[in-house]
Amino acid sequence: MMLIRYISQIGRYFLMLKEIFNKQTKWSVMKSLIFKEIDDLIIGSLGIVAFISFFVGGVVAIQTALNLTNPLIPKYLIGFATRQSVILEFAPTFISVIMAGKMGSFITSSIGTMRVTEQIDALEVMGVNALNYLVFPKIIALLLYPFLIGIAMFLGILGGWMAGVYGGFISSQEFINGTQMDFIPFHVIYAFIKTLIFAMLLATIPSFHGYYMKGGALEVGKASTVSFVWTSVSIILFNYILTQLLLGS
């Protein structure tokens, strides 16, 4: 019974995706909605992303330095390990899971509140495609999500450099040499491909849970929790699949 319910929900999700792109809202209206979503979702997340990235990069560098106790192991590996950890996994995946909590809860609660207060019903009565009006601007706004992850990468490595150098674990030149060693440009492309997929999940899964929720104000909170769980699960699952496809030999 549970399996049938999950399959039904997945089918409903894909039907929602199709409906989002039907019967487009006028561009004059859509433009202002897109800018509002960019402000709420991207600009509003800059602070938390910058803070977490900087300090986690520092922690990665310190942990690596403390575990490289063998004097035969070169210290520049601290820079190398920090770069690889930040670019491949931390920035695209870890930040996206955090954003599933921040962005996802915001999206679900805002759309869920509109559902509870019958604003969505009012849009439909006026002949507006409510899914296009509410979800499409979020998808377009989150096309800028790789910009956020690019900042996370830069600040993560910067945090690692500052923690390593000012913590006395490594010299500045050794850390820089480590970050430049065996650099594979495709790793950055791989990270941004993942980021775009995660952006789509971040925009649509919370919207799905907000749009189709039933009940009152209490259910809005429950829907936010459920959307966070499913968005996180989807991000981790797609992370595994994309890593296998793009980096697996």
Side-chain angles (χ1 to χ4, degrees):
M1 193 69 186
M2 187 77 78
L3 180 64
I4 293 168
R5 190 161 67 86
Y6 285 146
I7 292 169
S8 168
Q9 289 285 80
I10 290 166
R12 202 179 196 187
Y13 170 75
F14 283 107
L15 287 172
M16 182 197 82
L17 291 183
K18 176 175 169 288
E19 188 62 30
I20 288 167
F21 299 97
N22 287 342
K23 199 181 172 189
Q24 294 285 324
T25 307
K26 285 182 185 173
W27 174 244
S28 56
V29 176
M30 186 60 73
K31 188 168 63 174
S32 61
L33 291 172
I34 290 169
F35 282 123
K36 183 182 180 300
E37 297 296 350
I38 290 170
D39 185 45
D40 287 341
L41 302 177
I42 303 297
I43 309 297
S45 302
L46 273 172
I48 186 74
V49 167
F51 179 81
I52 292 171
S53 303
F54 185 81
F55 284 102
V56 171
V59 168
V60 169
I62 293 168
Q63 292 279 18
T64 307
L66 293 174
N67 283 285
L68 290 180
T69 51
N70 191 324
L72 297 175
I73 299 174
K75 283 193 172 183
Y76 63 73
L77 285 176
I78 296 169
F80 176 78
T82 303
R83 184 200 74 203
Q84 291 296 91
S85 302
V86 167
I87 289 177
L88 288 175
E89 281 309 314
F90 164 70
T93 309
F94 186 64
I95 290 291
S96 294
V97 171
I98 292 168
M99 287 300 106
K102 187 192 178 295
M103 285 184 194
S105 297
F106 173 76
I107 291 169
T108 305
S109 59
S110 60
I111 295 177
T113 303
M114 289 183 75
R115 172 62 77 190
V116 168
T117 55
E118 298 179 353
Q119 293 177 58
I120 291 175
D121 298 333
L123 285 172
E124 288 169 349
V125 166
M126 290 189 291
V128 175
N129 179 354
L131 278 169
N132 178 260
Y133 183 87
L134 294 170
V135 185
F136 186 73
K138 292 173 174 57
I139 293 172
I140 299 301
L142 280 166
L143 290 177
L144 292 174
Y145 186 57
F147 163 73
L148 210 58
I149 297 305
I151 290 173
M153 288 177 185
F154 171 74
L155 288 174
I157 294 169
L158 178 66
W161 174 79
M162 289 193 76
V165 173
Y166 291 102
F169 297 106
I170 186 173
S171 71
S172 177
Q173 191 56 51
E174 280 178 316
F175 189 91
I176 291 167
N177 288 345
T179 56
Q180 293 174 336
M181 186 183 74
D182 292 337
F183 177 64
I184 302 170
F186 180 72
H187 284 172
V188 178
I189 297 167
Y190 152 79
F192 283 130
I193 290 170
K194 282 205 303 188
T195 300
L196 281 170
I197 302 292
F198 296 162
M200 186 69 178
L201 296 174
L202 283 167
T204 55
I205 295 175
S207 298
F208 172 80
H209 286 283
Y211 190 84
Y212 290 109
M213 64 148 288
K214 291 182 175 68
L218 183 65
E219 276 70 23
V220 173
K222 287 180 182 175
S224 295
T225 305
V226 172
S227 90
F228 167 66
V229 170
W230 282 110
T231 308
S232 302
V233 166
S234 302
I235 285 168
I236 290 163
L237 183 64
F238 271 88
N239 183 44
Y240 174 79
I241 294 166
L242 290 166
T243 302
Q244 186 66 43
L245 287 174
L246 298 172
L247 296 184
S249 52

